[in-house]
Amino acid sequence: MANSPSPDDRHPASRRSTWLPVALKISAWGIGLVLVALVSLLMTVAVALAVAYPNLPDVSDLLDYRPKLPLRIYSADAVLIGEFGEERRNLTPIGDIPQVMKDAVLAIEDARFFSHGGVDYIGVLRAALANVGQAKRQGASTITMQVARNVYLSAEKSYTRKIYEILLTFKLEHLLSKDQILEIYMNQIFLGQRAYGFAAASEAYFGKPLKEITIAEAAMLAGLPKAPSAYNPVSNPKRAKARQLYIIERMEDNGFITAEQAKAAKNEQLVVRSGPDAGRVHAEYVAETVRQLVFSQYGDETYTRGLNVFTTLRAADQQVAYKALRKGIMDYERRQIYRGPEKFIELSKDPQETEDAIDDALVDNPDNDDVMSAVVLEATPKRIVAVRHNSETIEITGDGLKPAQSGLSDKAPPNIRIRRGALIRVAKTPKNTWEITQLPEVEGAFVALDPRNGAVRALVGGFDYEKNKFNHVTQAWRQPGSSFKPFIYSAALEKGFTPATVVNDAPLFFDAGVTGGQPWEPKNYDGTFEGPMNLRRGLAKSKNMISIRVLQAVGAKNAQEWITHFGFDADKHPAYLTMALGAGSVTPLQMAIGYSVFANGGYRVNPYLITKITDQKGKVIVQSPVPVLDESVRGIEARNAFIMSNLLQEVARSGTAAKAQATLKRPDLYGKTGTTNDSIDTWFVGYQPTLTAAVWMGYDTPKKLGDRETGGGLSLPVWITYMDYALKGVPVTEYSPPEGVVNMGGEWFYAEYAKGSGISSVGMTDRPANGAAGDNPVPGQPALPGAAIQTPPPSDERKRILDLFKN
């Protein structure tokens, strides 16, 4: 018997009538729950907004956007010579940012920037869909959101921070225009290499102002905000290039550039700065001195308020001085014994391991400008093959091996011998070949200033600032040797001496009873004595016996007081006869100041470096007046300065510095060489009426430079090289005789001493001088100069240095 249908089977409408209300109830409950959840979410968001919004930072200060801006120091001709601050940034108004740079950024960061209200909902949806099932997530942060995050929020990743970010985004969009937001972004974002903002990044990576940027360069820079380290063209060129190509495509897709422009940009070869700009002006010692001066005035604000300091330096003069001093030091270094490679590197047989070891060694021991580092691959007495940065292979042969010949001998000690794996220094010769060299141990200093007002035109405090930050121009107290004699002669003019006064160049001896110590028997540099000669010839030939006899007659205490008229410290020059040979202590800057008194007709000058300081917008906040020389700053009479210049002109014409006029082919050059006892210090200080310069060379820990080393051989060539450039186009200027001098028989005299005074004589007796005249105590042997200790000067000494440069 067949089964009979159930009632429900027989009546389907009745069955639907049973489950339909249930389904409707379930749907209603579901919708209700969703609505409740939405209301709860909205209430939660509302509560969160109510709590968070009052705690949002005040963004109104962005209406007058003032980021941290570094201290920048410029030469007189507006060349950047120094920058100090945590953030390297050039604040650039939106109107000055080239369109290509803005287009590149918008193409990759926020193409809908000008059409959304701060949050790009289309971008959010697109990113959400793209992120489904993807390990590598896409972001949807707009430029406004990035500004909110970078200016006001921490790097913490949390829902709370995201809420604050969105709220800040709306607040910024309400308060600021799109151009204002974009301007902040383009100046605020970190882009690697200590560069903040695209203007600073353009300088850091390409060494050019932002206004000169190309499409290819703009695309490269636009790739940096996402990950400045990962897409850094210096450290990760391959990844940086890949991102640049992608951005160029995005620029084309968004209609910012044409297909032709895109193709050209992709093929453009970029020149990225991989290190310090080879063309930069080396004025590190000046920049540090200026930094200290500005910090003493503005404190910590020095590094954040965007001060621009303009100095008296002339950029080209400074660079010539830097190169001249380095060349002088390296010329001396070529005559020294080779001290051996700087280190030895273990090179394996595996090519990749060898390459990595060489790269690491060259990074740890970078080039010192033109004194470059290299690792030896092969070495024989006749040939060296070495590798430099970027796997550049170089070969050294012939004369290029001579400076290190001792290191190529089979008998050389292990620490001296040049062999595979040795890290050496090399340099290019004038013939464009390579030669082996070494970093120098000797130091030097150069300073040039305008004697008419004290403006410093060039200052080089040592061979290399990174190697030795001790500023020898202002901090090194050294014996001046014979370069100090002109100040003794100047004192003698006030005591009745004339250039025609005859003095005996004969031996002197001071026994222990007179000196109170060891006997002292001074010598001339060449060990010979020439008998009677006039002061003019005595100074030109730098005769020590002449200077000592002159000081005996003048009186050491009188001379000690007289030298203060030139800016020297009396206590640094004890009143002994050794003062005649420059046994006191001076700095190179003091010597330049002292000779400037002769150069300008007798006026004391105070050196100064800063001409003006402006704020970030160029408004002048400090203006230094140019000093005026008047009788209130007179140090010596004009006639004294005139006759001394006449005597120093003779030194540069026929004396120990005759090479000066012979090389530069002009008569308006004046100066004096200086070589201290045992050739420990060498000097040349000289001037032309518009420019004074001092050069010093020696070891920080005083030791002999060499028997044949003199101021004329070491320091004078540096001075000549600088003056050859600095005086180009400067007309020959010779001094006019002031009141109170007369010329008789071709010689200059004070008017009151002219008649018959030219035949006076000093020290013409045959007996040795056993004592000093008047108030002259005679010391023992001249003490060695004090070492230029490489430690920061004490506070009072630091203040003295800074005060020297305050106008």
Side-chain angles (χ1 to χ4, degrees), residues 630-644:
D630 55 32
E631 293 306 308
S632 67
V633 292
R634 179 166 289 285
I636 61 175
E637 288 187 6
R639 61 180 186 170
N640 187 301
F642 173 78
I643 291 180
M644 285 308 306

Side-chain angles (χ1 to χ4, degrees), residues 250-311:
R250 293 279 298 162
M251 293 177 74
E252 182 184 358
D253 292 343
N254 283 278
F256 293 135
I257 57 175
T258 65
E260 292 76 14
Q261 288 175 312
K263 182 178 179 181
K266 289 178 180 180
N267 293 328
E268 182 179 331
Q269 294 295 316
L270 300 187
V271 179
V272 179
R273 286 174 57 179
S274 58
D277 184 7
R280 73 188 175 108
V281 176
H282 285 276
E284 295 87 349
Y285 292 97
V286 175
E288 172 57 20
T289 301
V290 171
R291 182 199 68 78
Q292 293 181 36
L293 286 166
V294 176
F295 184 82
S296 68
Q297 181 70 30
Y298 294 99
D300 289 337
E301 284 191 351
T302 297
Y303 312 118
T304 59
R305 62 181 289 182
L307 297 175
N308 300 303
V309 183
F310 292 85
T311 67

Side-chain angles (χ1 to χ4, degrees), residues 143-157:
I143 283 176
T144 312
M145 294 169 74
Q146 291 183 58
V147 169
R149 183 165 62 240
N150 290 324
V151 175
Y152 292 108
L153 301 177
S154 68
E156 174 199 8
K157 291 186 177 181

Side-chain angles (χ1 to χ4, degrees), residues 484-742:
F484 199 73
K485 289 175 181 176
F487 305 108
I488 305 302
Y489 277 58
S490 173
L493 294 180
E494 299 302 305
K495 296 297 182 180
F497 280 74
T498 76
T501 301
V502 176
V503 182
N504 196 12
D505 178 30
L508 285 167
F509 177 80
F510 302 93
D511 60 31
V514 174
T515 65
Q518 295 180 346
W520 181 41
E521 187 175 8
K523 304 286 186 184
N524 286 321
Y525 175 77
D526 59 7
T528 65
F529 303 96
E530 298 184 29
M533 65 175 65
N534 61 31
L535 254 61
R536 175 178 295 277
R537 195 67 186 146
L539 184 61
K541 300 192 75 171
S542 198
K543 291 293 187 176
N544 291 340
M545 302 305 108
I546 303 292
S547 298
I548 294 172
R549 283 192 162 93
V550 168
L551 183 56
Q552 278 185 303
V554 169
K557 284 201 175 293
N558 290 331
Q560 185 189 44
E561 188 281 327
W562 183 254
I563 64 172
T564 63
H565 295 214
F566 299 87
F568 297 108
D569 303 320
D571 60 346
K572 297 283 188 181
H573 301 269
Y576 300 137
L577 288 182
T578 46
M579 182 165 52
L581 307 184
S585 295
V586 299
T587 66
L589 181 61
Q590 280 190 329
M591 292 297 284
I593 295 169
Y595 272 68
S596 291
V597 177
F598 295 139
N600 64 29
Y603 299 98
R604 280 279 305 277
V605 293
N606 288 318
Y608 72 102
L609 275 170
I610 296 174
T611 58
K612 68 176 179 180
I613 301 176
T614 69
D615 64 14
Q616 64 185 39
K617 295 182 179 179
K619 180 183 177 182
V620 176
I621 55 179
V622 173
Q623 182 78 58
S624 300
V626 177
V628 177
L629 301 183
D630 55 32
E631 293 306 308
S632 67
V633 292
R634 179 166 289 285
I636 61 175
E637 288 187 6
R639 61 180 186 170
N640 187 301
F642 173 78
I643 291 180
M644 285 308 306
S645 287
N646 192 262
L647 292 175
L648 291 170
Q649 187 178 37
E650 189 67 45
V651 178
R653 178 169 51 235
S654 67
T656 56
K659 188 177 180 182
Q661 290 193 21
T663 303
L664 298 178
K665 302 291 191 294
R666 55 189 300 157
D668 57 339
L669 302 175
Y670 315 78
K672 182 71 183 74
T673 55
T675 309
T676 62
N677 193 39
D678 289 331
S679 297
I680 288 173
D681 300 271
T682 68
W683 294 81
F684 184 76
V685 191
Y687 56 92
Q688 190 268 349
T690 64
L691 194 61
T692 304
V695 183
W696 165 84
M697 285 177 63
Y699 289 97
D700 277 339
T701 300
K703 66 179 182 178
K704 201 170 183 176
L705 288 163
D707 290 335
R708 304 176 67 86
E709 305 296 352
T710 64
L714 282 182
S715 298
L716 176 59
V718 176
W719 188 91
I720 289 174
T721 300
Y722 173 78
M723 285 294 191
D724 184 41
Y725 176 84
L727 296 180
K728 274 185 171 63
V730 177
V732 172
T733 307
E734 296 198 62
Y735 297 105
S736 300
E739 291 185 5
V741 298
V742 296

Side-chain angles (χ1 to χ4, degrees), residues 730-795:
V730 177
V732 172
T733 307
E734 296 198 62
Y735 297 105
S736 300
E739 291 185 5
V741 298
V742 296
N743 190 289
M744 293 179 59
E747 190 56 271
W748 291 100
F749 302 89
Y750 281 7
E752 63 269 30
Y753 301 146
K755 189 175 181 179
S757 63
I759 59 171
S760 62
S761 62
V762 176
M764 298 298 291
T765 60
D766 291 331
R767 65 177 178 82
N770 252 344
D775 58 2
N776 295 328
V778 183
Q781 290 281 9
L784 293 178
I789 305 301
Q790 297 182 45
T791 54
S795 58

